[in-house]
């Protein structure tokens, strides 16, 4: 009897290991944790403590050449890329944190070595500034010894191509969704990080990626039934505001 139980348990364990479990990425950190806020340092720490595989965050380059964490295009009615960080000194996130400088955020990330950084560069209107943002970002990530733990993502095709050029050892995923699996491969992407609707609209897309050795990340999958559907699609990563539902 005991032997049968052990055998059954082993089989169960084997089945669980064999069925692909997507890696869980906290979208803008685990910002729903107590005392947290989107793109805050606290949200990153909360994602790490929850046991997420990765934590996603959004980065802008300000007019005075500071890389900062922030999601929206504008702040106080002005585009973030036109603001000086020095003028934002009094700005507070909803949890009371100052607007994080990327360098301060990465110093904290160095203390949590088990979580992957999913670095989204926001699409800047000024192409030259965007290219500078990529260069500054790659340099900072490399100088701080975090390159082996960083994936780059962007809606900006130009920014992605620059990441691929400057950081060929890193994985780069495209967010916007119009490139085919073949185009992603040709351009040197690691895979797609596309909206859920694209995967649902083309159920063969995950296979098309995998056939080419590319990976599939899906966003932003919050509802438990959508999370189950994403797992059934065979994606490699799920980006979610509700990582606690997936991380067990
Ligand atoms: Mg983002």
């Amino acid at each position: 009897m005991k032997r049968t139980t052990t055998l059954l348990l082993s089989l169960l364990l084997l089945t669980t290991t064999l069925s692909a479990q997507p890696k869980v990425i906290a979208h803008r950190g685990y910002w729903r944790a107590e005392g947290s806020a989107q793109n805050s340092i606290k949200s990153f720490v909360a994602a790490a403590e929850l046991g997420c595989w990765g934590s996603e965050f959004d980065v802008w380059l300000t007019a005075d050449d500071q890389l900062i964490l922030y999601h929206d295009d504008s702040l106080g009615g002005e585009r973030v890329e036109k603001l000086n960080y020095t003028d934002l000194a009094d700005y507070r996130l909803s949890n009371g944190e100052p607007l994080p400088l990327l360098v301060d955020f990465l110093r904290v990330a160095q203390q949590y070595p088990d979580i992957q950084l999913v670095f989204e560069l926001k699409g800047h209107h000024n192409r030259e500034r965007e290219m500078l943002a990529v260069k500054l970002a790659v340099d900072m990530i490399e100088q701080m010894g975090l390159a082996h733990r960083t994936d780059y993502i962007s809606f900006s095709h130009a920014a992605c191509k620059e990441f691929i050029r400057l950081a060929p050892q890193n994985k780069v995923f495209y967010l916007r969704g119009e490139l085919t699996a073949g185009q992603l491969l040709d351009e040197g992407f690691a895979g797609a990080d596309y909206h859920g609707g694209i995967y649902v609209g083309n159920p063969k897309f995950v296979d098309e990626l995998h056939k080419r050795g590319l990976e599939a990340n899906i966003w932003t999958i919050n509802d438990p039934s959508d999370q189950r559907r994403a797992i059934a699609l065979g994606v490699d990563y799920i980006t979610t505001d509700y990582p606690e539902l997936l991380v067990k």
Side-chain angles (χ1 to χ4, degrees):
M1 185 66 186
K2 194 175 169 211
R3 210 174 147 202
T4 317
T5 313
T6 312
L7 187 69
L8 279 173
L9 279 173
S10 308
L11 274 174
L12 190 68
L13 193 68
L14 187 70
T15 317
T16 313
T17 315
L18 287 178
S19 67
Q21 292 297 309
K23 299 177 174 101
V24 179
I25 299 170
H27 181 234
R28 305 176 197 169
Y30 184 26
W31 57 270
R32 292 175 42 265
E34 201 181 331
S36 192
Q38 294 189 0
N39 284 310
S40 65
I41 288 176
K42 172 76 188 172
S43 73
F44 173 81
V45 171
E49 287 175 346
L50 182 67
C52 295
W53 175 84
S55 191
E56 187 261 3
F57 53 96
D58 304 292
V59 175
W60 283 100
L61 179 65
T62 60
D64 53 351
D65 293 346
Q66 297 295 326
L67 291 167
I68 62 166
L69 267 68
Y70 193 71
H71 176 268
D72 295 352
D73 291 355
S74 58
L75 200 165
E78 182 65 274
R79 274 190 74 79
V80 177
E81 62 189 298
K82 294 199 165 172
L83 291 167
N84 287 315
Y85 183 73
T86 50
D87 297 331
L88 300 169
D90 295 334
Y91 184 84
R92 291 291 177 271
L93 305 181
S94 63
N95 69 342
E97 275 183 44
L99 205 57
L101 280 169
L102 179 65
V103 67
D104 293 334
F105 177 84
L106 296 179
R107 279 194 194 108
V108 175
Q110 287 173 325
Q111 298 162 34
Y112 293 86
D114 297 330
I115 185 164
Q116 193 80 1
L117 306 176
V118 182
F119 184 127
E120 178 178 350
L121 184 71
K122 302 304 291 184
H124 293 58
H125 276 183
N126 183 313
R127 187 51 50 80
E128 269 177 48
R129 298 289 298 165
E130 189 175 81
M131 294 303 107
L132 177 62
V134 174
K135 168 91 176 97
L136 293 172
V138 168
D139 286 350
M140 190 181 286
I141 289 285
E142 287 179 2
Q143 281 160 18
M144 295 181 75
L146 294 165
H148 64 292
R149 293 169 50 196
T150 302
D151 295 345
Y152 295 108
I153 63 176
S154 186
F155 279 95
S156 164
H157 194 183
C160 284
K161 288 208 258 193
E162 190 69 352
F163 276 120
I164 290 167
R165 191 176 77 84
L166 295 183
Q169 74 285 6
N170 285 78
K171 290 183 178 179
V172 181
F173 294 83
Y174 189 46
L175 289 166
R176 193 173 296 281
E178 81 279 13
L179 296 182
T180 64
Q183 286 169 321
L184 290 168
L185 178 68
D186 290 345
E187 295 192 10
F189 282 93
D193 187 351
Y194 285 178
H195 183 266
I198 292 177
Y199 291 95
V200 173
N202 178 5
K204 289 186 179 159
F205 188 54
V206 174
D207 276 348
E208 289 166 5
L209 290 166
H210 286 169
K211 262 193 314 203
R212 292 169 173 82
L214 301 175
E215 293 182 305
N217 190 343
I218 188 169
W219 56 269
T220 301
I221 307 300
N222 292 336
D223 188 81
S225 63
D226 291 338
Q227 291 180 341
R228 281 194 293 274
R229 186 160 60 167
I231 293 167
L233 280 167
V235 297
D236 305 288
Y237 310 87
I238 295 179
T239 302
T240 177
D241 293 312
Y242 289 75
E244 77 277 18
L245 301 179
L246 289 163
V247 175
K248 294 274 155 53

